[in-house]
Amino acid sequence: MKYDVPEEIERKLRRAHRLEWWSIFWMLTIIAVMYFAMGSSQAMKTAWIEDTLSLLPPILFLVARKFEEKEPTRKYPFGFHRGGSLGFFLAAAALAAMGCILLYDSAHALILQEHPTIGNVTLFGWDIWLGWVMIAALIYSVIPPVILGRMKKPLARATMDKILYTDADMDAADWKTGLAGIVGIIGVGFGFWWADAAAAGLISFDILRDGIRNLRISVAELLDGAPRKLDSAEVHPIVDEIGDTLAHRYPGHRARLRETGRFVRVDLVRHDEDATPPEAIDNWRVVEVTQELGDKDLS
C-alpha cells in the first residue's frame, strides 16, 4: 500500500533507487575483476566473497520497494511493508553466516600453516608479479563502493531505510577490506606466509560483526519491538517523541510503537470505553494510529 509521504522523501527514494542500480552494475564489474585476479590468496578470496555478498542489499532494496507499494490482499490485509523488514533480516543473516564460514576458513589456514604462493603472470608480453595485479584489483574494488556509499548514507537516514543504510555502511567501509587485502598480499611478498590468512580473518570478522549487529536490529523489528535506530539496536528517539505527545493529549494512557519497514504504527492503550478516536500524528513515518482498551501499564 502506498502512503502519502512528503515529496522530498519520495525524491530521495527515487534517487536511492537509481544509485542501487548503479551499485549492482559496478559490483558486477568488481566481482569479475577480483575473480580473475585472486589466484590462491585467501585474503583475495574472502574479499571477492564479500564483494559478491554486497549485491544482496541493493537487490533486496529494489525488491522491497516493489512490495512496499502493493495493495493489501485478503491474505495480507495489512499490506506488504514488512517486505523491507524481511529483506533486511535476510541480508543480515547472510552476512552473519558467511562471516562465520570465512572466519573458520582463515583460522583453519593459520592452524594448518598453509603457505600461499603468489607467482608471476604474463601481461602484454611482460612478466609481472601477480601480487601487483591483486593490489590493483583491490584498489579498483574500493573506489566505486566508497563513493556510492557516501552518496547513499544521507538518503538512508532521511528515508529511514535499514536495507539502504546497511548497503551504504558496507560500501563506505569497503576501504578496510581493500586495505586488509593489500597488507596481506604485501606480507606474503615479504615472506610472511601468515599475513594472507590473517588479512582474510580481519575481513571475515568485519563481515560477521556487521551481520550480527544487523540481525539484532532486524529480529527486533520482526518481533514487533519498538522502532530501532539505523545503526544500532537502541530504541529510536521517535518512541519518546510520540509517547510524550500522546501522554500530553491523553493523560494516564500509554502508546506502543512498532515498525513495519520504514513506517511506524502506533497503538494507544486507553482505559475509558467512551474515549474519542486518537488524532493523527504529524510525522510522515506514522501511517496508522489505533486504540485498544487496557487496564495496566507496560512495565
Side-chain angles (χ1 to χ4, degrees):
M1 180 186 295
K2 187 174 178 61
Y3 286 97
D4 292 329
V5 299
E7 176 57 31
E8 179 68 10
I9 301 299
E10 280 288 354
R11 185 182 64 81
K12 289 180 177 180
L13 284 170
R14 290 194 296 268
R15 177 167 170 74
H17 189 276
R18 292 192 296 270
L19 287 176
E20 292 295 48
W21 275 114
W22 277 112
S23 291
I24 292 173
F25 168 76
W26 286 110
M27 289 312 303
L28 287 174
T29 67
I30 289 169
I31 289 167
V33 169
M34 293 287 286
Y35 177 80
F36 289 110
M38 68 180 174
S40 61
S41 168
Q42 184 75 22
M44 287 290 290
K45 174 187 172 185
T46 305
W48 176 75
I49 292 175
E50 185 188 36
D51 290 332
T52 304
L53 281 174
S54 295
L55 283 173
L56 264 180
I59 291 173
L60 289 172
F61 172 84
L62 295 172
V63 172
R65 282 283 291 153
K66 289 290 185 183
F67 272 89
E68 185 178 290
E69 299 184 357
K70 289 185 66 175
E71 293 292 333
T73 65
R74 185 168 179 271
K75 290 185 177 180
Y76 298 94
F78 293 99
F80 297 87
H81 291 155
R82 275 209 170 138
S85 304
L86 180 60
F88 181 47
F89 172 78
L90 292 175
L95 279 176
M98 190 55 65
C100 287
I101 294 171
L102 295 175
L103 192 60
Y104 170 80
D105 283 347
S106 59
H108 187 261
L110 283 171
I111 293 171
L112 295 183
Q113 299 185 13
E114 296 178 355
H115 290 57
T117 56
I118 301 178
N120 292 344
V121 64
T122 302
L123 288 176
F124 307 110
W126 294 81
D127 283 338
I128 301 174
W129 181 51
L130 184 57
W132 296 122
V133 178
M134 294 178 178
I135 291 171
L138 283 167
I139 292 173
Y140 172 69
S141 74
V142 167
I143 295 172
V146 169
I147 294 173
L148 287 167
R150 292 184 181 276
M151 294 171 69
K152 286 185 280 189
K153 192 165 277 192
L155 298 177
R157 289 197 182 100
T159 59
M160 285 304 297
D161 194 296
K162 290 187 173 69
I163 301 179
L164 182 62
Y165 188 85
T166 298
D167 186 28
D169 198 39
M170 288 174 61
D171 286 347
D174 203 56
W175 64 269
K176 292 186 290 185
T177 299
L179 181 61
I182 290 171
V183 170
I185 292 166
I186 292 175
V188 172
F190 279 100
F192 301 111
W193 64 268
W194 47 265
D196 185 62
L202 288 174
I203 297 170
S204 57
F205 180 78
D206 196 51
I207 296 172
L208 178 61
R209 180 183 61 84
D210 288 341
I212 291 175
R213 182 194 65 192
N214 293 329
L215 265 179
R216 292 179 62 197
I217 302 172
S218 62
V219 167
E221 187 171 334
L222 289 174
L223 292 179
D224 279 342
R228 298 310 203 256
K229 294 181 179 179
L230 284 174
D231 56 352
S232 76
E234 295 179 10
V235 174
H236 194 278
I238 195 175
V239 174
D240 291 331
E241 292 171 7
I242 293 178
D244 292 344
T245 299
L246 291 176
H248 179 73
R249 290 183 188 174
Y250 311 103
H253 305 320
R254 58 184 169 86
R256 300 186 300 194
L257 280 72
R258 60 188 174 93
E259 279 184 308
T260 52
R262 78 184 77 257
F263 300 108
V264 172
R265 285 171 165 77
V266 181
D267 186 18
L268 184 64
V269 181
R270 308 176 69 173
H271 313 305
D272 46 338
E273 295 187 12
D274 297 328
T276 57
E279 302 174 22
I281 303 294
D282 186 19
N283 186 307
W284 71 266
R285 293 190 67 197
V286 179
V287 294
E288 186 177 49
V289 182
T290 59
Q291 67 177 5
E292 67 173 77
L293 291 175
D295 56 4
K296 62 180 181 179
D297 291 332
L298 187 68
S299 58

